Amino acid sequence: MGSKFNSELHNREGVTYLKLSGVVDEDNDLAGLESKLGSGTLVIDLSEVDRINSCGVRDWVNWLGRVEKNGARTVFVDCAPAIVSQINLVHNFTGNGVVKSFYAPYFCTRCQREKLLMLQTRDLVAGGPPFTAPTCRCDECDGPMEFDDMEESYFAFLSNAKKVPSDPSVDAVMQEFSGVHESTGSGSGGKLRSRSSTGSPAPSSSSLSPSPQAAAPVGQVAALPSVPVVPAASRPQSGAQKAVNGHHGSLLPGLAGLKSNTTTPGTPVALAQQAAEQAQSQRFSLGQAPRSLLPWMMLGVLLVLAAVLLIWVFVSA
């Protein structure tokens, strides 16, 4: 059998216990289990089925039909949410069998944790429609949890659910191989467990508490660790840096004098700088002028051409 699909088979006093887990797809090995299943009560535990695709549904329906044709009386227990979804979508997904118990998903908005609550079909059907999700409390904060699906669609199969007969042998088999006592009622007596597909666990309160260094009053920014600044004069310099610094130092007086001359009015340098600025402004204005005078220039050219044309006409006449 493939690593994605696994099965566990036991026989006790005329009752066959079959547990399926993993993914039921085109690589399933359901056909290989037929020869191991005989007539009598067949308890199929579907609590560990993570996913089932369209190919898996096709193989499942065909396999279940052959098993029941051989005389098996199927009882489905602890159906995972993925199985409940298929029961609501495919009318013959359970064949002639009965759904004894199933899991319902819940979510705690406070702890951000998902849980599955085991529900007994017999208890829900006894109350009659409309079928609503029982109350479930979080085992972390003891607060009420929200049902993590649409109640109307998730419990739709209960409207056509068959009567679940009481069978102590089935309860004994479930108690022995899965550790679940099937006679337990729903609601407060249901079995809570973490969903297998849940991601990383919610962080604890200790991991969410800020460290003393990171804590800061509201409206203030926590101070960053100060980094000592070494003055430039105290930093060690290489020989090349000393030579460059010395060369720059010898040029500084001349540059300072040149800067002072440019700022002194009336000096040749100041006059040259002023002339360069004026020339630059004139070039800018000349570069912008043609754009604004272009329509007028074209109009003038047209007028000159019209005048020349009129003169030529009069002269030729």
Side-chain angles (χ1 to χ4, degrees), residues 127-181:
F131 304 105
T132 58
T135 302
C136 178
R137 305 194 70 86
C138 179
D139 57 349
E140 294 290 336
C141 64
D142 197 35
M145 304 185 74
E146 297 181 358
F147 184 68
D148 198 18
D149 208 310
M150 301 294 294
E151 289 182 320
E152 184 178 358
S153 59
Y154 195 83
F155 298 110
F157 74 97
L158 295 177
S159 301
N160 301 320
K162 299 178 182 179
K163 184 178 179 180
V164 181
S166 179
D167 192 344
S169 61
V170 174
D171 297 338
V173 168
M174 291 299 301
Q175 178 68 23
E176 179 180 358
F177 297 111
S178 68
V180 178
H181 189 49

Side-chain angles (χ1 to χ4, degrees), residues 211-264:
S211 60
Q213 297 180 355
V218 178
Q220 298 183 6
V221 180
L224 298 175
S226 59
V227 179
V229 180
V230 181
S234 62
R235 298 174 186 171
Q237 297 182 351
S238 61
Q241 290 178 343
K242 292 181 180 179
V244 173
N245 293 337
H247 180 66
H248 288 174
S250 63
L251 294 177
L252 288 177
L255 294 176
L258 180 60
K259 182 177 181 180
S260 62
N261 290 337
T262 57
T263 56
T264 304

